[in-house]
Amino acid sequence: MDIHEYQAKELFMKAGLPVPPGEVATTPDQAEKLAQELGGRVVVKAQVHTGGRGKAGGVKLASSPEEARKHAEAILGMSINGLTVQKVLITPAEDITSEAYVGVLIDRKKQSATFMVSPEGGVDIEAVAETNPDAILRVPVDPRYGLLPHQAYRMATFLYEDPKLVKQATRVMHQLYAAFSENSCSLAEINPLIVTPEGDLKAIDAKVSIDDNALPALPEVAAYRDTDAEPPSETKAREAALSFVKLDGNVGCCVNGAGLAMATMDLVKYYGGDPANFLDIGGSSNPDKVVAALEIITADPSVKVILFNIFGGITRCDDVANGIVEATKRIDIQTPIYIRLTGTNETEALAILKDAGFSAYTSMDEVVETAVQFAAQA
Ligand code: GDP
Ligand code: MN
């Protein structure tokens, strides 16, 4: 789960990190009032779950409350990477001497949390990795011991020479690691970590993603979920307990089991098509889940064909067939549906589908090839 910058800053503050104060506004009026309280010179920052807000015009400096109001008017309602801005963070404008990057993320290959730090902060870290890889130091953390003092010190000296800054940065590394591990993050990032003219470090941007599997154990963090800021398809899929990932193709896939879903997507590619999504309706799927799945898939305008691939084990094919029939009654589906099902209660399922005017396949190759051909012509 992604959270907003202002929420990430709350977690950082609890871990003791040097975060400037700030508050969220949803209207230009509120923005002006908050700017007044903060002394007038503020930054107005779009709160959306995406990076690069600065480049998109979603981070603006204001020298007066009136100007903060104008910026809030422009930023609220703005679309950044397809997400509409509904909140802005109002925070004091800081003077910046230098900007560094400090992030912790999960390195799957090393199976551990890994720090990435760079004195070239502020910008896209991916760009630094490409153009100047030597400017990034990577430090894996052994989960048995946590971040060790010499590791924190090494990163701090990679970023700064001044002993006062090195001391502060060493502390920042430990605090960030604590925030990362205590909140089961998959990412915790400060970009930029700035040096102020007074020679202090401040975390003026914060980006955090939480491991979804940890949310039941972290009710306070789970409460940060902002469904208004998520793509509607993802919210709907989560509420229906479906695993769903939107992709760029035009073949809508509805499959039971993650492995079969991957195999189906491979086969779509093999026959020259492109999947519009990954969707696993799960093990024991009741008809309601199938209806929800079809609502999500058909809401995507790029979907030209819908492909069901069901291997009935615990999932009963007749449940899926009933779900498909039920869905066509509840929602107006213009997109053709190609169905393959085999396994538990296959005979009953085929009868249900036949009665409703659907034909079904039992061969996976055949159904995928046919669906892909249709999508190519549509
Ligand atoms: P992002 O573009 O989404 O990463 O948003 P950031 O919060 O990182 O802001 C982008 C850039 O705006 C930063 O790298 C800074 O250069 C600049 N910026 C943000 N806040 C301030 C501030 O308080 N004062 C100054 N002078 N610049 C700021
Ligand atoms: Mn940033």
Side-chain angles (χ1 to χ4, degrees), residues 5 9 41-43 45-46 50-56 59 61 91-96 99 121-123 191-192 194 204-206:
E5 174 193 1
K9 282 180 166 171
R41 260 195 89 232
V42 294
V43 192
K45 308 185 75 177
T50 177
R53 296 164 305 163
K55 268 186 226 154
V59 176
L61 285 159
T91 178
E94 301 288 345
D95 293 323
I96 300 176
E99 305 190 28
V123 287
N191 187 28
I194 61 157
I204 66 164
D205 189 16

Side-chain angles (χ1 to χ4, degrees), residues 145-228:
Y145 313 124
L147 180 67
L148 295 170
H150 72 86
Q151 295 178 308
Y153 179 75
R154 181 166 160 237
M155 292 189 279
T157 53
F158 185 77
L159 297 180
Y160 307 108
E161 279 177 13
D162 178 352
K164 189 184 157 209
L165 290 174
V166 170
K167 198 173 163 196
Q168 285 187 48
T170 305
R171 203 180 312 136
V172 162
M173 302 301 165
H174 285 294
Q175 289 162 331
L176 185 63
Y177 186 71
F180 176 90
S181 45
E182 280 159 26
N183 297 298
S184 292
C185 299
S186 50
L187 172 79
E189 187 185 89
I190 306 171
N191 187 28
L193 176 71
I194 61 157
V195 177
T196 65
E198 296 77 39
D200 289 318
L201 292 182
K202 278 188 189 173
I204 66 164
D205 189 16
K207 194 166 167 217
V208 163
S209 304
I210 313 279
D211 181 344
D212 286 342
N213 297 306
L215 291 174
L218 298 168
E220 280 176 35
V221 180
Y224 281 147
R225 187 180 293 286
D226 180 358
T227 45
D228 290 344

Side-chain angles (χ1 to χ4, degrees), residues 13 18 44 63 89 122 126 131 141 176 187 189 197 202 219 230 235 241 264 277 299 310 320 364:
M13 219 179 280
V44 182
S63 49
L89 173 66
E126 285 86 359
T131 57
V141 179
L176 185 63
L187 172 79
E189 187 185 89
K202 278 188 189 173
E230 292 178 329
T235 310
T264 307
N277 63 279
I310 304 298
V320 176
M364 180 160 157

Side-chain angles (χ1 to χ4, degrees), residues 11 116 120 245 340:
L11 296 181
M116 276 175 68
E120 294 188 19
V245 181
R340 177 257 183 168

